[in-house]
Structures are given as C-alpha cells and as structure tokens.
Amino acid sequence: MASSTLICNTESWNDLKAHLEDIKKTHLRDLMSDTERCKSMMVEFDGLLLDYSRQRATLETMDMLFKLAEAAHLKQKINSMYSGEHINKTENRSVLHVALRASRDAVIQSDGKNVVPDVWGVLDKIQNFSDKVRNGSWVGVTGKALKDVVAIGIGGSYLGPLFVHTALQTDPEAVECARGRQLRFLANVDPIDVARNLTGLNPETTLVVVVSKTFTTAETMLNARTLREWISSALGPEAVAKHMVAVSTNLMLVEKFGIDPNNAFAFWDWVGGRYSVCSAVGVLPLSLQYGFPIVEKFLMGASSIDQHFYSAPFEKNIPVLLGLLSVWNVSFLGHPARAILPYSQALEKFAPHIQQVSMESNGKGVSIDGIQLPFDAGEIDFGEPGTNGQHSFYQLIHQGCVVPCDFIGVVKSQQPVYLQGELVTNHDELMSNFFAQPDALAYGKTPEELQKENVPQHLIPHKTFSGNRPSLSLLLPLLNAYNIGQLLALYEHRIAVEGFIWDINSFDQWGVELGKSLASQVRKQLHASHTRGEPIKGFNFSTTTMLGKYLEASSDIKGELTTTKLPQI
C-alpha cells in the first residue's frame, strides 16, 4: 500500500522533527530517573525481555512514532506481506519467508495458492533425506558413511545458515545430535576458501550441498565445479550423483551438472536470498548436521515471532518497537550506524548476517515508487560479541561519535563454567558487563564526579564521558534452537518495519548488480589476455594500469586452461 507522498512530507514526520528540539534538551540521566517511563519501556513476549528505556525517547516520542506508523500505513503493509500481495514491486513478487516456518495446517496464499503444503513437502523431503544420510542408509560411492558436509553458497545462501550453525555448535542438545559430524560453508570464490574448506576432508565421506536458485551464480558454480572435480578425480565421475545434492529451482541445469534432479530441494521466488535461512537453503545443511528435529525447533521459534509481529498491538510488538526506534535514531537523531553486541560467543556470526539482511534490504536511495529520497535510509550495521568488542571499538562508542547499540544477553549459558574460590561464575562475569555497559553509555561520567575522585585536572577532559548515548537491551532465557529462531525473526521483521516506514522496497537488491556486470567485462579481458595475448582495452587509465600489473605478475598463466590444479594444503 505505497503512497506517492513521501513519508517525510507527512504531518507526523514534521511533528517528530519539531519534537526533536525538546529531546535535545533532555539527558538519559534524567530520563532514567523516571521509573514509570522505564516500566512502560519494557516488553516481554514468549520468554524474551526488551528494555528500550535507554533510548533518547520519552513516552510522547513513542506516541508520535506510533502516529508515524499510522501515517506510513504500517499495519496495512504488514497485512499485505502476510497475505501474499506482491509487495516486492520491482520484481513483482510476494514476500513470504513467514510461510517457511508456518505450521503444517496454516494457510498462506501467493497468487491464489496456499503455499504451505509446498513448504512442508520440501521439509518432509529434507527430513527423509537427512535421516538417511545420518543413519547410514545413504552412503557414498565406496560404501562409507557421509559424515562431512560442505555447503556451497554465497550471500544469503551462506551468512544465515552459518549464523545458525555457529549458534548451535555449543548447545548441549545440538552437540549430542551432531556428534561425529562436521559442517563447513564454502562461500568465497577465492581459492584460499576452497583450500581451507577441503583441508582434512576425505572425498569418500563428504557430501556437497550446492545452493543456487538459478544454478548460474558465478562464484557458487565455480566453487561447485571445483568440488565436483575434487570428488570425481578421487572417486570417478559417477561419484557425483552420490556425493553432491542441490538446493535449486533449475532442475535442467542441476541434471546437466551431474546431480540427480531427485536430489534437488526447491525454494521459491517469494523467498529472498537474505531471508532464506528457513528454506532448504539453511534447513538442508543444518538438518544433515543436527537432525531435522533440532531444526524444526528453530523454525518454531521463528514462527512464534511471526505470529507476535502479525497480531500484537504496536505498543507491545517487539519488532515494531525495534523498527520505529531505528527510524528515530537514523532519520531524526542522525545516527547512521548501529552496533549489534551479543554477549554470547555463540552469536559471533549474528552481526555479519544481520549486516547483510539490513544493509541489502534498506540501503536504498529511492522510494518504492522510484522517487528520490530527501533523507537517508538504512543503517550501517556492525558488531562483535562482548566482551571482545569492549577491547576493540567501545572506545569510539563511549567517547567518539554516537552509535546506538543493541545489547543481547542470555540468562543461562550453553556451557556453564565456574571455579572454586571465584566470586562469580564465568557467565556472571560476562553478564556483569552486559548489564554495566548500557548504563555507562547512558549516564557517562561528569567532570564534577571526576574531581570528587581527585583525578588530576589535566586528565579530567580525557576521562569525561558525555553519556546520553542510546542503547537497548534484549534478554533471552536460553540460547537453544527455539531462541535462535526467535532472534532471527525479530531482526528480520524489525528491518521490514524500517523499510515500511521509509516506504522503500526492502526486498530487492539492484545495488549488487552493477559490480557483477563490470566483473564480467574484466573476466573476458583476462581470458583474452591470457589465451591470445590481447592488449587491455575498454577500461579507464586506473583500471588498465592495475590490470596490467596483475597480468604481468601472472604471466605463468598462458593459453587455455588445459590442466587442473586443486589446493595443496
């Protein structure tokens, strides 16, 4: 339900602009002293607790943000997404990643068809196949069990599944289910990534999952051909059908590649790459590693948030609150970046995944109707687990430019450790920092406080913390498959809310196309220069010079590539 009127031209937007002057006169030290305000800025749902009281916002701010949501037709846009309307207008597609984790009896329509039976058809196929591989009834060509899996994919076919895998690796239940197995992800076309992924693997016990919707993605298919050669050179060409499977919709190219089309697992145009971890893209490799029951719990956690996002009133709707506060921080307070700070090492790959979901979704310069935006949309996302990040970039967060922070904590550690004689457990030590950092950012430290501590006068400017730096805290009860699914869906929907408010298309990614197109021209030039000695032409002086240096240094590559060289590690 897009409008040709830009959101920045609405009364609600202008009211918030005017309200900003009042907010500039406040400090979080004062806002945090209002207990009733703090109480109203805490929301619980299904074991999760969100505390956004350390945002530079009053109750009036929140009321005005809800009015902005109304002006942006946020509820209608959410309904349109869930009902399968083609809200991805530039590609004329539905956006239905919520269908990927819907219950078996749910009804979610796309183009007049309930897609949920198709989703569960693929999930059932994945469960059947992964069970066979895990119990040894599907074996490699030499009869050995396939205990090692390499998933080949890039972007959304890699970052999401890697995040979930990394988060599950230390969950006790998942550890038990994965015993004796390993899962690796090959994404970069850099041959070093190939070498690292193949190190220590035996082709006889390796199953390769090639993830490419069209089966034409340049980087993925070159890596797939490389691993096909690695398998066939060791076991013979007939081994490919037993040691390689696909996640794709292009069955013709899958078969041409040498993979049995019966071993191809489908997903659909209404699944965007960065939103595909709950499709066969993630579910297949994760089920091979941990078993389908673990992955089903992950899907249930995501589904719980899907239902909450769809039905909860905005005042208690965690993804809506997160999205509105992001818009407030970016478009009104002028903070273009966001730090994602999980106080759990198991979530070390969460920030890189959200970096893609957020920046590829909302890094747009025009509205959904193609009108140039007179304001900045999107956020620069980065992050690192605590306490590592504290010894990396927190200096800037405390005393440099203002970066709103998401602190993510877990009540119970996946792997508790404590030592006799210590004051607290290892997890307590970690969580002490989780609870302390938001207050340090909010309150800061004044020159007067430093003087009372007898800090030398010349050091007071250096030790002063301005405070008034916004953050929010999200507390999870555990970090198991269910909670990991919840966390993923929270951020997916938060990002959608931002896009709905800014009235942009959060579900296309034209910005990745130009570089790929230019790379194709360079590829042709490299081939022509290597094989026929043709001079560099058609590029600017800078690129021509750099290409010349590269070709000069790689002069050992001459003529057609008539031999194969695989990693030597």
Side-chain angles (χ1 to χ4, degrees):
M1 189 167 176
S3 167
S4 58
T5 301
L6 293 175
I7 189 65
C8 61
N9 294 330
T10 62
E11 183 180 352
S12 300
W13 184 282
N14 290 326
D15 287 346
L16 278 162
K17 280 287 188 186
H19 173 67
L20 186 61
E21 296 309 310
D22 295 330
I23 293 298
K24 288 178 179 177
K25 298 171 187 172
T26 65
H27 195 287
L28 280 169
R29 290 187 203 109
D30 303 315
L31 294 177
M32 291 299 293
S33 66
D34 183 344
T35 303
E36 289 306 310
R37 170 189 170 276
C38 292
K39 278 183 184 176
S40 70
M41 292 185 170
M42 292 186 177
V43 179
E44 291 189 69
F45 173 73
D46 197 11
L48 306 178
L49 172 61
L50 169 67
D51 176 5
Y52 63 96
S53 61
R54 294 176 189 82
Q55 290 288 310
R56 290 187 64 195
T58 62
L59 297 181
E60 183 184 5
T61 312
M62 298 312 299
D63 286 340
M64 296 175 82
L65 285 170
F66 294 137
K67 287 177 182 174
L68 182 69
E70 189 177 335
H73 309 293
L74 178 59
K75 183 57 183 171
Q76 293 95 315
K77 290 174 181 177
I78 294 170
N79 290 344
S80 295
M81 182 174 84
Y82 277 70
S83 62
E85 291 182 29
H86 287 208
I87 64 170
N88 178 354
K89 287 192 167 185
T90 61
E91 297 177 307
N92 194 28
R93 292 174 181 170
S94 303
V95 175
L96 282 177
H97 43 279
V98 295
L100 299 172
R101 51 254 189 159
S103 60
R104 197 182 286 268
D105 59 353
V107 176
I108 299 178
Q109 303 277 348
S110 178
D111 297 322
K113 177 186 177 183
N114 180 15
V115 301
V116 175
D118 289 345
V119 168
W120 275 95
V122 173
L123 291 176
D124 290 340
K125 183 177 178 181
I126 289 172
Q127 180 173 17
N128 180 262
F129 178 74
S130 59
D131 283 351
K132 286 180 180 178
V133 172
R134 289 170 57 82
N135 66 26
S137 58
W138 177 292
V139 293
V141 73
T142 63
K144 291 187 177 180
L146 299 172
K147 61 183 182 62
D148 307 313
V149 174
V150 179
I152 304 176
I154 198 163
S157 300
Y158 152 67
L159 290 164
L162 177 62
F163 143 60
V164 179
H165 171 53
T166 306
L168 285 172
Q169 276 183 308
T170 40
D171 170 63
E173 184 184 13
V175 167
E176 196 58 40
C177 293
R179 200 168 296 282
R181 307 193 62 80
Q182 62 177 318
L183 171 61
R184 301 183 182 185
F185 292 90
L186 172 57
N188 202 330
V189 74
D190 186 338
I192 290 170
D193 205 13
V194 176
R196 287 178 174 176
N197 271 280
L198 293 185
T199 300
L201 292 187
N202 178 356
E204 289 183 276
T205 60
T206 300
L207 177 68
V208 176
V209 179
V210 183
V211 183
S212 175
K213 184 183 285 189
T214 62
F215 234 61
T216 58
T217 308
E219 302 97 324
T220 297
M221 295 318 300
L222 180 54
N223 278 335
R225 291 191 294 273
T226 302
L227 264 66
R228 180 179 63 183
E229 179 63 27
W230 177 71
I231 289 168
S232 58
S233 63
L235 306 175
E238 70 281 358
V240 171
K242 276 287 187 180
H243 289 260
M244 297 187 82
V245 298
V247 177
S248 180
T249 55
N250 194 333
L251 296 183
M252 186 178 74
L253 288 184
V254 166
E255 186 171 22
K256 188 176 179 183
F257 185 87
I259 295 174
D260 186 342
N262 291 318
N263 299 327
F265 298 82
F267 61 120
W268 305 270
D269 279 344
W270 42 259
V271 183
R274 55 192 174 276
Y275 295 96
S276 66
V277 63
C278 294
S279 73
V281 168
V283 172
L284 177 58
L286 293 167
S287 295
L288 287 164
Q289 177 68 6
Y290 298 106
F292 184 78
I294 292 282
V295 182
E296 189 171 19
K297 291 177 183 177
F298 162 72
L299 297 176
M300 289 170 62
S303 180
S304 163
I305 298 299
D306 293 342
Q307 295 168 53
H308 168 70
F309 178 50
Y310 182 70
S311 61
F314 286 172
E315 294 80 2
K316 296 294 182 182
N317 192 312
I318 296 178
V320 168
L321 291 167
L322 294 175
L324 290 174
L325 289 166
S326 286
V327 170
W328 171 242
N329 282 319
V330 173
S331 297
F332 295 92
L333 291 173
H335 306 318
R338 171 179 63 192
I340 300 170
L341 310 170
Y343 276 66
S344 170
Q345 193 63 32
L347 293 174
E348 65 178 305
K349 296 300 182 183
F350 183 59
H353 174 52
I354 297 306
Q355 188 177 60
Q356 188 213 3
V357 179
S358 172
M359 295 171 74
E360 196 168 84
S361 293
N362 290 341
K364 308 292 166 61
V366 298
S367 75
I368 199 164
D369 294 324
I371 302 170
Q372 197 73 34
L373 297 178
F375 58 87
D376 289 334
E379 288 168 306
I380 302 164
D381 290 274
F382 68 98
E384 183 73 20
T387 57
N388 295 356
Q390 293 175 200
H391 297 272
S392 174
F393 50 79
Y394 276 36
Q395 167 63 45
L396 180 144
I397 288 174
H398 279 287
Q399 290 185 309
C401 59
V402 176
V403 179
C405 298
D406 292 0
F407 290 94
I408 303 169
V410 182
V411 173
K412 291 186 178 180
S413 175
Q414 290 178 330
Q415 298 291 329
V417 173
Y418 45 87
L419 303 177
Q420 183 179 356
E422 294 288 340
L423 289 175
V424 294
T425 68
N426 293 41
H427 189 62
D428 284 343
E429 183 65 32
L430 173 73
M431 292 300 287
S432 297
N433 289 274
F434 167 80
F435 292 116
Q437 288 291 336
D439 279 341
L441 288 167
Y443 289 87
K445 196 154 193 177
T446 66
E448 292 75 22
E449 290 172 313
L450 293 166
Q451 286 169 350
K452 288 179 182 176
E453 295 175 4
N454 297 316
V455 173
Q457 193 65 36
H458 72 282
L459 289 180
I460 286 178
H462 300 281
K463 291 194 169 189
T464 297
F465 292 76
S466 63
N468 212 25
R469 292 163 182 261
S471 69
L472 57 84
S473 299
L474 185 65
L475 193 60
L476 284 65
L478 300 163
L479 195 62
N480 56 25
Y482 185 87
N483 304 128
I484 293 164
Q486 289 180 305
L487 186 60
L488 173 74
L490 276 181
Y491 274 76
E492 286 180 343
H493 295 320
R494 170 200 200 151
I495 289 158
V497 168
E498 294 171 55
F500 288 152
I501 298 294
W502 285 319
D503 203 25
I504 58 178
N505 187 353
S506 298
F507 307 105
D508 63 9
Q509 56 283 326
W510 300 105
V512 306
E513 299 299 327
L514 180 58
K516 291 197 292 187
S517 173
L518 295 178
S520 177
Q521 297 174 32
V522 176
R523 189 184 304 116
K524 291 174 183 175
Q525 178 66 62
L526 291 174
H527 178 72
S529 297
H530 281 319
T531 57
R532 300 187 295 276
E534 289 188 9
I536 300 166
K537 58 186 178 183
F539 299 93
N540 60 44
F541 175 80
S542 175
T543 303
T544 299
T545 303
M546 297 286 278
L547 273 171
K549 286 284 186 185
Y550 178 79
L551 286 165
E552 183 182 339
S554 58
S555 56
D556 55 316
I557 305 290
K558 287 201 179 290
E560 298 288 346
L561 295 175
T562 56
T563 60
T564 294
K565 182 180 177 66
L566 292 172
Q568 301 302 304
I569 293 179

